[in-house]
Amino acid sequence: MAPTTLVTMTDPRTYRPKPGEIPTDPGVYRFRDEHGRVIYVGKARNLRARLANYFQDLSSLHPRTATMVTTAASVQWTVVRTEVEALALEYSWIKEFDPRFNVKYRDDKSYPYLAVTMGEEVPRAQVMRGAKRPGTRYFGPFGHAWAIRETLDLLLRVFPVRTCSAGVYRRAAQTGRPCLLGYIDKCSAPCVGRISTDEHRALAEDLCTFMSGDASRFIKALTAQMNEAAADMQYEQAARYRDAIQALQRALEKNAVVLADGTDADIFGLVGDELEAAVQVFHVRGGRIRGQRGWVVERVEDVTDAGLVTHLLQQVYGDVDTSDPDARRSVPREVLVPELPEDLDQVRTWLSGIRGAAVDIRVPQRGEKRELAETVRKNAEQALALHRSRRSGDLTTRSRALQEIQEALDLQSAPLRIECYDISNTQGTFQTASMVVFEDGLARKSEYRRFTIRGPEGKGAADDTAAMYEVITRRFKRYLTDRSESSDLELDLTDGDRQELAEHSSGEVDALVDEETGRPKRFAYPPNLVVVDGGQPQVAAAARALADLGIDDVALCGLAKRLEEVWLPGDDYPVILERSSEGLYLLQRVRDEAHRFALAHHRKRRGAAMTASELDGVPGLGPARKAKLLKHFGSLKRLRAASVEEIATVPGMGEKLARSVLEALAPPASAETSPAPAAASTPADDA
């Protein structure tokens, strides 16, 4: 929960709409702060009745709700046709705008999945994390990657599908020799034609079927084949079938049998208090636990457990690609929850639409499902205890750091958004600047930016102060431009839908959204504090840039690395923070992150320039031919001394191209009398 001391207080009566202006239809509403940033998104069956609840006397509101409405400066709404549409639109806008007062479940880790790339000509089984890709079947998530590898190692004895990378597969196909897995019968080696691609795809389909829960038919088939081989006295073959059966059984043992009826269900457990909540979910397929996930969430909005369940289901199933049949199957027939969500009928209709079949949402009351739900709840309880032990001092520490910075720099409020700038160069060349962003004391890497320093003539700035002036000017010019422009949020709607929205919307949906991408503009929001890496000269340059743009509501300071002094504009003496100060530690982390980010980009530019070759400008000479030339002659010196005929003997080279290579490598006629002029560098745009 964000402390009220960290926000600028606003009287809700100053932006309260008249009751008659608010429609009574279903819709989605958005509260914005004084900078136009969306800070809360909600849905309502009746917009007028729901919004009226926010404009009561502040003393009657929940403290978190009171904090939100006093932080906001405006409210808008959009009417939709049904409550199910409101549910979907609410989730999409929470995902798009990341409002600080909305509950957001964040995975405590990036969970690994067993993935089978059925979209490839020769499917591959592997461990995958991160965003899911079309055409790939996913099983899990698993708690650890080693658990996937152990299971896969057992299954490859029965379903020897490819697990190698594309490069290994190509090399094996070129040499006609399979890799080690092919020799030990853990790969069917389609790379060398041991089986056809169709036969290999059938193996991959069988692996997916087994992982989906249909294991009994494979064990029965192998048992019948083993008995038949034994009856024919083919004992070696029978032993291989026996080993395959044992491998499948050991793989099944890794997924404990929890329900005997082959149930497909997601079982959720929720434990928490007024400040935080922990959630665990067991993914049960075919009566067995196929995966487990967990989240911990700060209850930044006034929401009941039923509301938390609604938000949770939106996040877990909101990104399912309804055009992909495999993805739609990730929504099970049953969703077992600790408490029924708000608007149960609408949530059930929404999930059924995603799955393409009926989905039952209920609270288990008795039997095996009730016992398993209790196990899930205990896992959530343990996860919350672990989270608190790890993070107990973290929230307090961050709040104390922001408070110390506020007091030391004499700011009106704690700096919730800090931007730090650093300049990196090598003797004035490859000048690069970075902008890193910290919000609520945590890095917000999605808003990091890089700048290539242009200078007045496009050849770079004269020194670090000129570079700092340029960067601050460019950043805040963009801010002023983005603030002055207004555009409508581009939704995936027909012209008729847009007209209907225009008629029923309270006004402009978003003035800070990029018209082409639909995302918030890059420099639309100002920081509470700008930190520059350096002392008085760098601070003075940044202050001059802000003053020239007429910006006087953004605090500024510099952090000099030698003595870790904090410099303010116009002051003759620095502010000294205690070495043990949490505020100083936060400023150091921000400064060091800006330095790291700038240095990484600077090294990339410098490395690209150092690896540039004199052959780069030869027409018709691509990377492959260039590599062959250098491999054949060993160096540019030997290549320069070669004849046209010698160069033409290299595969892919002809006489005409060989002559062009020698012309490119020939020194200028005046090289002995005058130095070659340095090539002017072309500055890149902002990254």
Side-chain angles (χ1 to χ4, degrees), residues 484-560:
S484 65
E485 295 176 353
S486 63
S487 60
D488 291 331
L489 179 63
E490 290 293 329
L491 298 174
D492 188 15
L493 303 172
T494 65
D495 292 340
D497 291 333
R498 288 193 179 90
Q499 183 177 359
E500 185 177 349
L501 280 178
E503 294 173 355
H504 293 286
S505 178
S506 61
E508 210 163 277
V509 177
D510 197 339
L512 300 175
V513 170
D514 190 279
E515 295 182 0
E516 295 182 1
T517 65
R519 296 181 179 276
K521 293 181 179 178
R522 295 192 301 174
F523 298 107
Y525 306 117
N528 303 109
L529 175 65
V530 168
V531 180
V532 298
D533 181 18
Q536 274 183 310
Q538 287 79 10
V539 173
R544 191 171 72 255
L546 292 175
D548 290 348
L549 294 173
I551 295 175
D552 56 5
D553 57 349
V554 175
L556 170 67
C557 74
L559 185 60

Side-chain angles (χ1 to χ4, degrees), residues 120-124 161-179 187-198 200:
E120 297 182 6
E121 182 182 4
V122 183
R124 174 191 178 192
V161 300
R162 167 193 162 218
T163 57
C164 61
S165 66
V168 172
Y169 186 87
R170 283 195 300 269
R171 283 196 297 272
Q174 291 169 356
T175 61
R177 292 180 299 174
C179 62
C187 179
S188 53
C191 53
V192 295
R194 191 177 294 173
I195 67 171
S196 67
T197 55
D198 290 339
H200 182 270

Side-chain angles (χ1 to χ4, degrees), residues 44 89 96 115 176 190 200 235 246 256 363 389 401 405 414 428 484 511 513 542 584 619 631 638 641 661 679:
L89 184 58
E96 180 71 34
H200 182 270
Y235 299 118
Q246 291 175 351
V363 179
S389 67
I405 294 173
S484 65
V513 170
L584 177 60
K631 183 178 180 181
R638 292 181 180 177
V661 169

Side-chain angles (χ1 to χ4, degrees), residues 577-592:
L577 296 176
E578 292 184 10
R579 288 289 177 172
S580 59
S581 164
E582 291 294 340
L584 177 60
Y585 178 59
L586 176 57
L587 289 176
Q588 288 172 329
R589 284 196 295 128
V590 172
R591 188 267 321 278
D592 292 344

Side-chain angles (χ1 to χ4, degrees), residues 416-435:
L416 291 181
R417 180 183 172 103
I418 301 175
E419 292 180 3
C420 185
Y421 297 83
D422 180 53
I423 308 297
S424 181
N425 63 77
T426 301
Q427 297 179 345
T429 61
F430 308 117
Q431 291 176 319
T432 298
S434 68
M435 175 186 109

